[in-house]
Amino acid sequence: MIKLNTTTAAAIAATRRAVGVPRQVRLRNGAPAQIRALRSDDAKRFGGFVARLSAASRGERYGRGFGTCTPAMLLDLVNVDGVRHAAFIATLKLDYDEEVIGEARYDVSTDGDCAELTLVVADFWQGQGLAEPLLDRLLEAARDAGLRRLVGEVPSSNHQMIRFMKRMGFVACAQGADRPVLRMERGVAPRLPQAPAPRPVDVLRRWLNNQLFQFGF
Ligand SMILES: CC(C)(COP(=O)(O)OP(=O)(O)OC[C@H]1O[C@@H](n2cnc3c(N)ncnc32)[C@H](O)[C@@H]1OP(=O)(O)O)[C@@H](O)C(=O)NCCC(=O)NCCS
């Protein structure tokens, strides 16, 4: 097997991203899904996805009381420039088409280096680990677009999304105790791998060695 150095591998990865090669992911239940950029010809598929969401999920993502997308809204949602507005979907392959089962999107705010994130997974497919690769793909796009931070305005009642974002390295910014919406934020740079916590047996061994050394053994 040819071994690539990290620079070459990073360049290939960036090129694959730029030309929009879909990414294959395997969900916790073993189902194969793919993550790809949302395209303008996805309007019908995407409309079906929004319509199939439960009222609760649709409300968390698009606002309480949101019903169906009008054709004009759908056009707006699927026409993204990929830089100031980027959107990725997770799909399942069907015989002649694809079914959309998740969406992650960012919109650049007025200050230029920060974008607001939104994320939703089809109810049936929640709990299958799909949000993570969707967010990873969005973070890559944000890095490629030169952004520095992603933020999410999440109602404090949306515990699932808040737990997920914390797991993914977002931190809650200062907010008043009475604020119903939490502002979660993180830089778009990849997180450094954490050093594994020392095993209790190793801590004990180190302590014993110190004691023996102190008493001259
Ligand atoms: C929030 C949301 C995006 C998370 O997506 P997801 O793909 O379901 O996320 P995950 O699969 O990583 O995790 C979901 C939960 O399943 C749990 N889980 C872990 N392993 C699991 C397994 N093997 N089987 C089932 N569930 C599992 C996770 O621990 C997590 O639970 P937690 O919240 O108690 O930590 C999704 O719930 C959603 O679309 N909600 C509605 C829309 C919304 O709120 N959007 C945010 C506003 S922008």
Side-chain angles (χ1 to χ4, degrees):
M1 194 186 8
I2 302 169
K3 257 200 150 182
L4 299 173
N5 66 37
T6 39
T7 324
T8 317
I12 291 174
T15 311
R16 286 172 68 86
R17 288 202 294 275
V19 296
V21 176
R23 182 161 306 167
Q24 309 302 321
V25 293
R26 198 158 284 277
L27 304 182
R28 284 181 190 135
N29 66 1
Q34 61 167 356
I35 296 194
R36 65 167 175 83
L38 184 65
R39 304 185 303 248
S40 51
D41 67 334
D42 282 320
K44 196 161 166 234
R45 287 178 204 106
F46 194 72
F49 164 66
V50 177
R52 284 190 299 274
L53 287 173
S54 67
S57 290
R58 203 163 43 228
E60 294 291 1
R61 163 63 183 89
Y62 299 98
R64 296 207 195 289
F66 186 92
T68 46
C69 291
T70 63
M73 272 178 202
L74 269 179
L75 273 186
D76 245 23
L77 285 166
V78 297
N79 281 303
V80 285
D81 63 17
V83 180
R84 292 189 66 79
H85 309 280
F88 294 92
I89 52 174
T91 69
L92 295 175
K93 279 224 174 347
L94 305 175
D95 282 347
Y96 296 104
D97 199 8
E98 287 169 275
E99 180 185 339
V100 180
I101 58 167
E103 176 215 8
R105 171 186 301 265
Y106 74 65
D107 284 294
V108 175
S109 61
T110 41
D111 80 0
D113 72 352
C114 176
E116 186 163 345
L117 138 94
T118 47
L119 184 62
V120 61
V121 171
D123 293 78
F124 182 79
W125 294 96
Q126 289 178 14
Q128 296 298 330
L130 187 53
E132 186 169 335
L134 273 168
L135 178 62
D136 281 344
R137 185 64 191 87
L138 200 67
L139 284 163
E140 281 174 4
R143 281 197 285 278
D144 290 346
L147 299 175
R148 294 175 55 165
R149 286 170 299 136
L150 277 192
V151 300
E153 301 269 344
V154 189
S156 328
S157 55
N158 192 347
H159 304 295
Q160 202 158 344
M161 182 65 173
I162 292 171
R163 272 198 303 269
F164 167 72
M165 290 181 92
K166 284 187 175 162
R167 235 182 8 247
M168 296 299 292
F170 284 77
V171 290
C173 302
Q175 61 144 16
D178 55 342
R179 259 200 91 191
V181 174
L182 209 57
R183 186 181 163 89
M184 309 283 293
E185 189 172 317
R186 76 159 267 189
V188 301
R191 282 181 296 161
L192 294 171
Q194 305 253 313
R199 295 176 308 163
V201 64
D202 294 329
V203 175
L204 186 63
R205 193 174 294 143
R206 213 169 302 136
W207 179 82
L208 269 174
N209 281 342
N210 280 343
Q211 299 301 309
L212 292 172
F213 180 74
Q214 267 185 28
F215 292 104
F217 289 105

